Amino acid sequence: MKFRFAFAALATVAVGAAVAQTLPPPEAATAPPPEIKIPDAPAPAVSKAWIVMDAASGQVLAGANIHEHLAPASMTKVMTSYVLAAELKAGKITRDDQVMMTERAWREGGAGTDGSYSGFPVNQTARLEDMEKGMVVQSGNDAAIALAEHTAGSEEAFVQLMNAYAQRLGMKDSHFADVHGLAAEGHYSSAYDMALLGRALIRDYPDTYAYNKIKEMTVNGITQPNRNLLLWRDPSVDGIKTGHTSQAGYCIMNSAKRGDQRLISVVMGDVSEKQRATDSLALLNWGFRFYETHRLYEPGKAIAQQKVWKGAEREVKLGVAAPLLVGVPRGQYDKLKPMMDVPKQLVAPIKKGQKIGTVKVNLDGKTIAEAPLVAVEGVEEGGFFRRLWDALWMWWESV
């Protein structure tokens, strides 16, 4: 939903080397509904960890044990997908590459193992895009290994890429030891990191993410369904991935979009395929019922102005570089309190896009979203006398 903020500062308070400006509460387009007390999220009864995240802002709406290190099982393949998408964008691989189903990939992840497999024939090639769909839709362990070998030369080298990308995404609770999620020493993640990863895949590589909503796939004459039961139960669900091993239990990460709002839920260590789907959908329904996503600021538009010293212009327009979105309890939009932290003194020259400070959005005294403030337009350095005069005034104000 889009709402308009009023941006004139009400008060100014010195905070260290910065100035915090409290902005008026946002003006809703219509009168907000009566405030209601949000009931507790429907916590899965026996899972080890779970989370509900607002996809737009990354805000955690509810969860339990969200940073606990747990086996992610085949949800690992979402990390594999992310790396493949990143390498594809970088031009290192192409969708039309011919990927060999090697002896190792077939032996360690093929039909002769206890895990899920894609069914591509051993010692034959298939298009990279088809092989990746076999990994995503059929959860093929063999396809995951073959893709890793093709992309990085070996599974071990590809795993290093996975950990590097995970670190870049801020997945502090994760370490990967294989590309498919079968039990391995030092292979773990968390509900929070899996939600963070799902959000990143949706945001950064939507074309790759779209594979996750494919309901079935046929390879070598064998048709296998997607193991995500919610693809059949709820049309708003378009991914993401399931997983199961004896160590991990039954795991699932899902995302659904209803209107302009997208949520992500992750359940780890559940008791059955049916129960993980039921628990995941209950969390999504709760999130959609009691929270809403708001787009507060648009990039490139001025949300405030700040005085500039020694500049050709006396003020600089400030805004955000990317849309600032936030998930809030329904009926509490009018309680949002935006605030800007900016330097006490800004001195020209200032370049367009230069980071100036931070805009934060508070609710009930808690910061629920923040983003860098940048200069919407540049400010050139003023002439000699302007610089001299401002230097004198800056000195006077500092004594």
Side-chain angles (χ1 to χ4, degrees):
M1 296 183 179
K2 296 184 179 179
F3 293 89
R4 182 172 62 86
F5 271 60
F7 300 119
L10 286 181
T12 302
V13 182
V15 182
V19 174
Q21 297 184 353
T22 303
L23 302 178
E27 297 177 3
T30 58
E35 183 179 342
I36 60 171
K37 185 181 186 310
I38 296 179
D40 294 337
V46 293
S47 70
K48 297 177 181 177
W50 59 273
I51 192 173
V52 186
M53 177 181 285
D54 178 75
S57 65
Q59 181 182 346
V60 177
L61 305 184
N65 305 320
I66 65 174
H67 294 291
E68 184 176 346
H69 292 182
L70 297 169
S74 281
M75 295 192 302
T76 298
K77 296 184 179 85
V78 181
M79 188 75 248
T80 305
S81 285
Y82 189 91
V83 174
L84 288 170
E87 296 296 291
L88 183 69
K89 183 177 180 180
K92 305 298 183 182
I93 54 177
T94 74
R95 289 187 171 88
D96 291 326
D97 281 0
Q98 291 296 309
V99 178
M100 175 67 70
M101 179 57 69
T102 64
E103 288 278 354
R104 176 185 174 180
W106 175 80
R107 185 175 62 253
E108 296 184 8
T113 66
D114 292 332
S116 52
Y117 66 96
S118 66
F120 288 99
V122 64
N123 292 326
Q124 294 186 32
T125 63
R127 285 180 69 245
L128 184 144
E129 183 176 24
D130 296 332
M131 188 80 75
E132 185 174 3
K133 289 179 180 177
M135 177 188 73
V136 173
V137 180
Q138 301 167 314
S139 199
N141 297 328
D142 51 351
I145 298 172
L147 287 163
E149 292 175 336
H150 176 82
T151 302
S154 68
E155 180 182 5
E156 292 76 14
F158 191 91
V159 166
Q160 293 181 43
L161 288 178
M162 293 171 70
N163 286 313
Y165 277 105
Q167 186 176 19
R168 185 181 300 179
L169 292 174
M171 298 171 62
K172 298 179 181 180
D173 306 317
S174 299
H175 183 269
F176 298 100
D178 59 47
V179 298
H180 39 63
L182 295 175
E185 184 177 355
H187 188 88
Y188 57 83
S189 189
S190 68
Y192 178 81
D193 276 8
M194 284 289 109
L196 200 66
L197 173 60
R199 178 178 180 240
L201 183 64
I202 294 166
R203 177 194 65 219
D204 298 341
Y205 306 111
D207 291 344
T208 295
Y209 174 71
Y211 299 160
N212 291 275
K213 65 181 178 182
I214 300 173
K215 291 184 176 181
E216 65 178 23
M217 185 174 178
T218 301
V219 173
N220 201 23
I222 301 173
T223 300
Q224 297 187 65
N226 193 313
R227 291 164 174 77
N228 188 351
L229 299 181
L230 293 193
L231 294 177
W232 285 267
R233 293 186 187 179
D234 190 316
S236 69
V237 174
D238 53 14
I240 308 175
K241 191 73 186 73
T242 64
H244 171 254
T245 65
S246 57
Q247 177 190 15
Y250 289 85
C251 305
I252 193 168
M253 53 192 301
N254 268 309
S255 181
K257 185 177 182 182
R258 300 178 187 176
D260 293 332
Q261 186 178 15
R262 178 179 286 279
L263 299 179
I264 296 170
S265 69
V266 178
V267 178
M268 302 182 73
D270 220 325
V271 294
S272 70
E273 183 178 20
K274 180 180 179 180
Q275 190 61 48
R276 71 186 176 189
T278 299
D279 290 339
S280 181
L281 184 57
L283 291 171
L284 290 172
N285 285 337
W286 173 86
F288 282 118
R289 169 61 183 86
F290 296 107
Y291 284 82
E292 55 193 8
T293 301
H294 292 276
R295 183 182 293 263
L296 306 185
Y297 300 116
E298 295 288 353
K301 293 184 177 180
I303 65 176
Q305 293 183 342
Q306 190 70 13
K307 182 177 180 179
V308 177
W309 296 93
K310 301 183 181 182
E313 303 291 337
R314 302 307 281 170
E315 292 183 325
V316 60
K317 296 178 180 179
L318 304 179
V320 292
L324 177 57
L325 302 102
V326 62
V328 297
R330 292 191 182 275
Q332 296 190 28
Y333 181 81
D334 59 329
K335 288 187 174 182
L336 292 180
K337 295 182 178 179
M339 176 177 289
M340 300 184 303
D341 288 339
V342 294
K344 199 171 183 179
Q345 291 182 336
L346 293 178
V347 181
I350 295 174
K351 296 181 180 179
K352 180 179 179 179
Q354 179 179 330
K355 182 180 177 182
I356 300 298
T358 304
V359 57
K360 298 181 179 180
V361 182
N362 295 335
L363 179 65
D364 295 331
K366 184 178 181 181
T367 299
I368 60 173
E370 63 180 271
L373 269 176
V374 299
V376 175
E377 299 174 351
V379 177
E380 298 292 334
E381 194 174 48
F384 173 76
F385 290 106
R386 169 64 59 81
R387 299 199 309 272
L388 178 61
W389 181 256
D390 282 0
L392 290 172
W393 273 108
M394 290 174 69
W395 172 80
W396 178 261
E397 288 190 356
S398 66
V399 296

